[in-house]
């Protein structure tokens, strides 16, 4: 019996085409791979190769015919092998045999970390908190290692990794050449193979060299592999404006990364945030963007001394309770918000300050509960306003509790310009406590 | 049902550079033929509208992955670009799961969420299947890094094309791999064209096998249409990597018979050029001639043909009957618990 040769689709979008030329005629023998016809699509003329072997019994669509729909029979093939290789009609999906892709047992789920009272504290710098977090997790898990520029012998460009080389050796504290794209890809590959890298970017500005590996490889592969290929990795380093380093070295990447499913984005403010969240990030089985701030590195905050201290990712913290307005901030802007709250208190306005801690997933529940109490919201961020974190939070507030709002949501953000070098101009660009005070007073 | 089994005989071979035995040639012939028939079927299903998007066929290049796979051991990692169907079949992944991924069905290796360019198998140490040209080279260095970190003796084979060989991160990865002496075999599958641009028009380097030379990476040019030559070269590279000598670069000269993807009319080369490669240098035909000389008769070949055809027919059937993924799958596999 014969088998029909169908009009093929030759591009992702082709629905019909012109059968411009037959290179075989009835009676000709064809072998797999022989060019049998030429077809014109809207873009190009393509050759059609035979898949089956046999003798052409009949040409069903003559050459020169236009508008031949995909899957129309165009010729008939006779041959003993043809029947076996006949293209089956596209069957409607039916109940299937067992699937072949089984899930690996190796991806150990991490227990949910609860927020609780940790007791005794002592003052440490954010810098020390970050180092202590890495050291604690490296002692706990031999698969955790740190790599980046100047992290080992130089002890860290910002001295975050001070002392780690001595304790853990050069196989686990690894100096890389200045090749963000390459070493980020290498770390992502190591994570796919089950290790738990911490990648230190000297600043997040340089991670733009590597953003393809972060988004396309680290964030998307779990999904594209149907859950087989996880990527437990932490990308960390200073983010946002430092001081007088101008536009290329002063940018907040929170909204860039928060845009992408497959990533978690964490932004600590205090020493406790830094230590507790970095430990959680290192244990997390997903790719984490951990946005630090250079100006905060030297600041001192009380931090729990408990050896097991850890904080949950995805949970915001109310740093100051209040009743008249909710101020939401992250990273260094939490300090700005707290100063504003103090100034507002002196003027009789009670502000509640929320430290986001995690930007993705956003703890919208904590924000909404606060807004339902205060009926007003002001967001504060250092980054640009357009498509920023404030835009996202305020939109979600509108979605979740529009009826509780007594005033339009307000965002305070960095000015919509590349950050200038001159001291006076730079200061004019970055949110100050009085910007927040003014914003609040417009709606209270 | 295991339809394709991993061929591993790297350690069984006492010396390098020797010709393959009749049994090995038969196994190689069968694996290459499986890839070719699988790809022809994929092309056919694409033509029927059952496979969507981009679909890059491996027809013509079969000897590259089959020859290299024969030199590897279980546990060695493999990673490649988007022209990946042959690599998956060569490392023992099931034809059914690969074909069902091409049709975007639940039974596919990525449950229909990856497609032709994005498939993975932890079990077979196949790390994809990557759609960004050159990205897999840094990732492959990372696979090798994990072997270095764990002090095991596995090697990571990182395949990429002549087109990708111009990407900056390839050279960043060469530098890292050479600095750290990572057990990474970089394989440039030079099929002469990066999409429609010939290697001469894209690359100032005239000998891609020497592209790692500034970093001290040993390189070898290999005839990719000759299974035995590919295998012999791979044995040398694997031995060097396992011995801790650091990375190795193989430039394997090969040829793809089809267009860059299904929608490429391939007007940048002549039909004569393609025809000449197919008739005079086809790797499968060449192994077939060797086997004929070793006494394999028509019946012997027919048995292999029939086996391969049955696997491909079954895979195509499975790929059309496996259900489409449930809409609930949209929201799974974005993040792991924790």
């Amino acid at each position: 019996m014969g088998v029909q040769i169908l009009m093929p689709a030759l591009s992702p979008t082709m629905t019909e085409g012109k059968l411009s030329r037959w290179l075989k005629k009835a009676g000709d023998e064809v072998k797999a791979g022989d060019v049998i016809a030429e077809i014109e699509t809207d873009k190009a003329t393509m050759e059609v190769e035979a898949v089956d072997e046999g003798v052409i019994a009949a040409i069903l669509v003559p050459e020169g015919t236009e508008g031949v729909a995909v899957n129309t029979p165009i010729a008939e093939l006779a041959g003993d092998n043809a029947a076996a290789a006949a293209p089956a009609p596209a069957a409607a999906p039916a109940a299937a045999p067992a699937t072949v892709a089984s899930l690996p047992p190796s991806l150990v789920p991490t227990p949910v970390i609860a927020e609780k009272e940790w007791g005794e504290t002592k003052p440490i710098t954010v810098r020390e908190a970050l180092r202590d977090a890495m050291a604690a997790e490296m002692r706990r898990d031999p698969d955790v290692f740190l790599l980046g520029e100047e992290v080992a012998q130089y002890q860290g460009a910002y001295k975050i990794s001070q002392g780690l080389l001595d304790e853990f050796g050069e196989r686990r504290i690894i100096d890389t050449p200045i090749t963000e794209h390459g070493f980020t890809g290498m770390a992502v590959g190591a994570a796919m193979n089950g290790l738990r890298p911490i990648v230190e970017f000297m600043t997040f500005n340089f991670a733009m060299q590597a953003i393809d590996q972060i988004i396309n490889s680290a964030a998307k592969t779990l999904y594209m592999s149907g859950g087989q290929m996880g990527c437990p990795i932490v990308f960390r380093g200073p983010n946002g404006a430092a001081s007088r380093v101008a536009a290329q070295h002063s940018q907040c990447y929170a909204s860039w990364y928060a845009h992408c499913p497959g990533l978690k984005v964490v932004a600590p403010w205090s020493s406790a945030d830094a230590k507790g969240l970095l430990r959680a990030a290192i244990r997390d089985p997903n790719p984490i963007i951990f946005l630090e701030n250079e100006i905060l590195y030297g600041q001192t905050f009380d931090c729990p001394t408990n050896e097991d201290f850890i904080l949950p990712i995805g949970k915001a913290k109310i740093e100051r309770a209040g009743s008249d307005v909710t101020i939401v901030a992250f990273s260094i802007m939490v300090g700005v918000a707290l100063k504003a709250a103090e100034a507002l208190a002196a003027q009789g306005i009670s502000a509640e300050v929320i430290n986001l801690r995690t930007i993705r997933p956003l703890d919208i529940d904590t924000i909404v509960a606060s807004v339902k109490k205060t009926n007003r919201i002001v967001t504060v961020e250092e980054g640009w306003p357009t498509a920023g974190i404030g835009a996202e939070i305020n939109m979600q507030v509108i979605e979740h509790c529009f009826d509780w709002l007594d005033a339009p949501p307000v965002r305070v953000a960095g000015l919509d310009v590349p950050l200038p070098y001159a001291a006076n101009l730079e200061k004019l660009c970055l949110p100050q406590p009085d910007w927040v005070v003014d914003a609040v007073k417009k709606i209270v | 049902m295991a339809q394709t089994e991993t061929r591993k005989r790297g350690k069984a071979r006492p010396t390098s550079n020797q010709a393959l035995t009749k049994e090995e040639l038969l196994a190689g012939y069968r694996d290459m033929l499986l890839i070719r028939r699988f790809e022809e079927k994929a092309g056919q299903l694409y033509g029927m509208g059952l496979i969507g998007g981009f679909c890059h066929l491996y027809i013509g290049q079969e000897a590259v992955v089959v020859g290299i796979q024969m030199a590897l051991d279980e546990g060695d990692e493999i990673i490649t670009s988007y022209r990946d169907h042959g690599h998956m079949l060569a490392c023992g992944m099931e034809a059914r799961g690969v074909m069902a991924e091409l049709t975007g069905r639940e039974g596919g290796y990525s449950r229909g969420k990856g497609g032709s360019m994005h498939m993975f198998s932890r079990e077979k140490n196949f790390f994809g299947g990557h759609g960004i040209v050159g990205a897999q080279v840094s990732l492959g260095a990372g696979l090798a890094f994990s072997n270095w970190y764990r002090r095991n003796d596995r090697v990571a084979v990182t395949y990429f094309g002549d087109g990708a060989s111009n990407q900056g991160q390839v050279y960043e990865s060469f530098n890292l791999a050479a600095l750290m002496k990572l057990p990474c075999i970089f394989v440039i599958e030079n099929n002469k064209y990066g999409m429609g641009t010939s290697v001469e028009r894209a690359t100032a380097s005239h000998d891609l096998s020497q592209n790692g030379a500034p970093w001290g990476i040993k390189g070898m040019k290999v005839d990719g249409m000759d299974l035995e030559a590919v295998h012999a070269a791979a044995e040398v590279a694997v031995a060097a990597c396992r011995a801790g000598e650091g990375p190795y670069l193989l430039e394997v000269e090969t040829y793809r018979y089809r267009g860059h993807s299904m929608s490429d009319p391939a007007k940048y080369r002549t039909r004569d050029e393609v025809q000449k490669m197919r008739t005079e240098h086809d790797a499968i035909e060449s192994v077939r001639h060797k086997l004929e000389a070793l006494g394999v008769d028509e019946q012997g070949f027919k048995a292999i043909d029939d086996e391969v055809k049955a696997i491909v027919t079954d895979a195509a059937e499975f790929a059309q009957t496996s259900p489409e993924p449930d809409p609930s799958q949209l929201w799974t596999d974005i993040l792991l618990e924790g």
Side-chain angles (χ1 to χ4, degrees):
Chain A
M1 73 168 262
V3 59
Q4 289 181 331
I5 298 172
L6 305 178
M7 180 74 169
L10 295 170
S11 80
T13 49
M14 173 178 166
T15 56
E16 59 168 47
K18 176 182 175 184
L19 208 169
S20 49
R21 193 151 82 97
W22 277 108
L23 299 166
K24 299 280 180 187
K25 57 182 189 304
D28 283 357
E29 196 175 323
V30 296
K31 284 196 290 200
D34 285 354
V35 177
I36 56 171
E38 284 179 4
I39 285 172
E40 257 175 57
T41 70
D42 53 343
K43 294 192 203 97
T45 303
M46 307 277 294
E47 293 174 343
V48 180
E49 293 183 2
V51 178
D52 303 313
E53 296 182 351
V55 175
I56 299 214
I59 300 285
L60 302 175
V61 175
E63 63 181 28
T65 309
E66 308 228 19
V68 182
V70 165
N71 280 339
T72 306
I74 54 173
E76 209 162 66
L77 207 58
D80 54 51
N81 283 333
T99 60
V100 295
S102 58
L103 282 177
S106 58
L107 301 164
V108 187
T110 310
V112 175
I113 299 160
E115 179 144 38
K116 57 178 187 180
E117 282 305 314
W118 289 96
E120 193 188 332
T121 62
K122 78 168 188 196
I124 60 170
T125 62
V126 169
R127 174 178 285 114
E128 290 164 329
L130 292 167
R131 184 202 51 208
D132 291 353
M134 288 193 284
E137 292 307 305
M138 289 185 68
R139 286 176 206 126
R140 181 178 171 268
D141 182 350
D143 284 343
V144 177
F145 64 95
L146 172 70
L147 85 170
E149 294 154 10
E150 311 291 4
V151 298
Q153 294 191 11
Y154 195 88
Q155 308 287 322
Y158 294 102
K159 298 287 177 279
I160 305 301
S161 53
Q162 188 129 39
L164 295 184
L165 176 63
D166 284 348
E167 179 173 354
F168 298 103
E170 57 188 15
R171 195 165 288 248
R172 299 183 70 192
I173 306 293
I174 302 165
D175 277 330
T176 65
I178 308 167
T179 55
E180 283 83 5
H181 201 176
F183 74 67
T184 302
M186 184 175 82
V188 171
M192 286 175 176
N193 208 5
L195 296 179
R196 290 179 168 263
I198 306 168
V199 177
E200 176 173 309
F201 291 117
M202 195 180 289
T203 83
F204 259 94
N205 303 286
F206 312 148
M208 272 210 277
Q209 296 269 358
I211 201 163
D212 172 68
Q213 289 288 6
I214 297 172
I215 308 291
N216 272 321
S217 299
K220 294 179 184 172
T221 300
L222 180 68
Y223 196 80
M224 291 198 303
S225 66
Q228 283 192 75
M229 204 65 70
C231 188
I233 190 168
V234 178
F235 302 104
R236 52 155 291 271
N239 170 67
S243 184
R244 311 287 313 279
V245 291
Q248 290 178 340
H249 287 70
S250 310
Q251 184 171 340
C252 176
Y253 288 90
S255 94
W256 289 52
Y257 292 110
H259 187 62
C260 305
L263 292 177
K264 293 184 182 180
V265 182
V266 177
W269 167 59
S270 66
S271 302
D273 289 357
K275 185 170 184 182
L277 292 168
L278 185 53
R279 292 190 74 174
I282 294 167
R283 288 185 204 181
D284 199 284
N286 299 290
I288 311 272
I289 304 290
F290 198 87
L291 302 171
E292 300 160 8
N293 185 288
E294 188 197 327
I295 294 165
L296 292 174
Y297 282 156
Q299 294 189 12
T300 300
F301 299 84
D302 286 337
C303 184
T305 53
N306 188 310
E307 275 186 17
D308 298 325
F309 171 64
I310 190 165
L311 288 172
I313 289 173
K315 195 88 188 76
K317 183 188 179 199
I318 297 173
E319 295 285 351
R320 177 186 174 118
S323 55
D324 297 332
V325 62
T326 298
I327 303 174
V328 182
F330 60 93
S331 187
I332 194 169
M333 287 295 128
V334 174
V336 171
L338 286 170
K339 277 188 188 149
E342 214 163 294
L344 287 163
Q347 300 174 45
I349 298 170
S350 165
E352 179 145 299
V353 175
I354 296 177
N355 169 7
L356 273 183
R357 283 183 170 170
T358 304
I359 294 165
R360 182 188 186 97
L362 188 67
D363 182 6
I364 191 66
D365 292 349
T366 295
I367 298 169
V368 166
S370 175
V371 171
K372 284 183 177 178
K373 185 173 72 174
T374 64
N375 312 112
R376 289 172 178 81
I377 180 165
V378 173
T379 60
V380 188
E381 69 197 296
E382 186 186 275
W384 295 309
T386 304
I389 301 301
E392 176 60 31
I393 291 170
N394 286 326
M395 183 64 206
Q396 288 203 34
V397 163
I398 288 167
E399 288 169 338
H400 284 86
C401 55
F402 182 75
D403 290 341
W404 275 268
L405 287 171
D406 286 347
V410 176
R411 65 182 150 185
V412 173
L415 292 196
D416 206 9
V417 299
L419 199 71
Y421 166 72
N424 65 325
L425 295 181
E426 183 185 71
K427 199 171 173 204
L428 288 171
C429 288
L430 300 172
Q432 309 294 325
D434 57 332
W435 297 21
V436 181
V437 169
D438 290 349
V440 167
K441 286 170 78 175
K442 277 185 194 147
I443 57 168
V444 172
Chain B
M1 170 170 91
Q3 296 172 331
T4 54
E5 65 178 51
T6 312
R7 311 277 166 190
K8 61 174 201 79
R9 40 188 87 74
K11 277 185 176 163
R13 303 190 61 77
T15 56
S16 297
N17 289 322
Q18 82 189 52
L20 293 170
T21 65
K22 181 178 167 187
E23 286 64 38
E24 288 170 327
L25 282 172
L26 272 172
Y29 177 79
R30 179 257 186 214
D31 289 355
M32 291 196 291
L33 196 67
L34 174 64
I35 294 170
R36 181 155 306 175
R37 295 286 171 262
F38 180 96
E39 293 290 65
E40 286 166 354
K41 180 59 79 176
Q44 189 183 25
L45 296 185
Y46 191 94
M48 292 162 69
L50 290 164
I51 296 171
F54 299 123
C55 185
H56 308 85
L57 301 181
Y58 198 63
I59 296 173
Q61 302 182 210
E62 297 90 345
V64 183
V65 287
V66 171
I68 289 173
Q69 193 68 33
M70 289 171 93
L72 299 182
D73 283 343
E74 206 159 323
D76 292 335
E77 296 94 351
I78 294 142
I79 191 166
T80 188
S81 71
Y82 43 79
R83 193 179 307 283
D84 55 357
H85 312 160
H87 303 69
M88 292 187 275
L89 295 173
C91 72
M93 288 167 66
E94 293 183 20
R96 277 185 158 204
V98 179
M99 196 71 93
E101 189 60 37
L102 298 184
T103 54
R105 302 303 173 93
E106 174 67 34
Y109 267 98
S110 297
R111 297 192 203 159
K113 286 154 78 165
S116 166
M117 302 187 286
H118 315 107
M119 274 181 260
F120 308 82
S121 169
R122 279 227 171 250
E123 187 197 349
K124 301 291 182 191
N125 275 317
F126 180 74
F127 286 81
H130 293 269
I132 305 297
V133 175
Q136 81 277 13
V137 182
S138 305
L139 297 171
L143 299 173
F145 173 95
S146 50
N147 295 331
W148 170 86
Y149 188 86
R150 290 170 170 144
R151 301 176 198 268
N152 63 32
D153 72 342
R154 293 178 180 178
V155 302
V157 182
T158 302
Y159 292 92
F160 54 108
D162 47 284
S165 77
N166 296 314
Q167 285 278 25
Q169 67 177 315
V170 169
Y171 298 94
E172 298 188 19
S173 303
F174 282 1
N175 182 41
L176 286 161
L179 264 179
M180 304 178 79
K181 287 197 182 298
L182 301 181
C184 194
I185 300 176
F186 296 107
V187 180
I188 301 179
E189 294 194 61
N190 181 355
N191 65 15
K192 315 280 192 287
Y193 298 92
M195 196 167 156
T197 304
S198 69
V199 67
E200 293 79 13
R201 294 177 56 225
T203 305
S205 162
H206 295 297
D207 182 355
L208 304 189
S209 74
Q210 296 308 306
N211 279 12
W215 295 272
I217 299 176
K218 281 187 196 160
M220 202 193 300
K221 202 185 262 295
V222 188
D223 178 1
M225 307 308 273
D226 178 345
L227 179 72
E228 289 185 290
V230 174
H231 171 259
E235 291 245 306
V236 171
V238 168
C241 267
R242 280 206 217 288
E245 293 174 21
Y248 210 102
L249 174 61
L250 298 177
E251 179 199 359
V252 188
E253 295 187 297
T254 181
Y255 202 80
R256 67 168 150 75
Y257 297 170
R258 298 292 186 96
H260 166 72
S261 69
M262 286 301 294
S263 49
D264 169 22
K267 295 301 180 200
Y268 41 82
R269 57 187 191 187
T270 64
R271 187 177 295 168
D272 285 349
E273 178 183 312
V274 181
Q275 214 45 44
K276 194 172 157 65
M277 289 304 291
R278 291 177 89 134
T279 51
E280 294 174 20
H281 300 284
D282 187 72
I284 297 179
E285 280 304 306
S286 140
V287 173
R288 189 183 168 108
H289 293 323
K290 284 180 186 172
L291 285 167
E292 280 166 357
L294 290 167
V296 178
D297 59 10
E298 273 306 312
Q299 214 161 358
F301 288 118
K302 187 165 186 322
I304 297 173
D305 278 356
D306 289 349
E307 184 216 345
V308 162
K309 199 165 271 182
I311 292 170
V312 172
T313 303
D314 171 77
E317 172 73 17
F318 178 76
Q320 292 171 68
T321 51
S322 175
E324 291 185 307
D326 189 87
S328 64
Q329 288 287 317
L330 268 178
W331 298 99
T332 59
D333 309 322
I334 297 167
L335 292 171
L336 290 165
E337 288 293 315

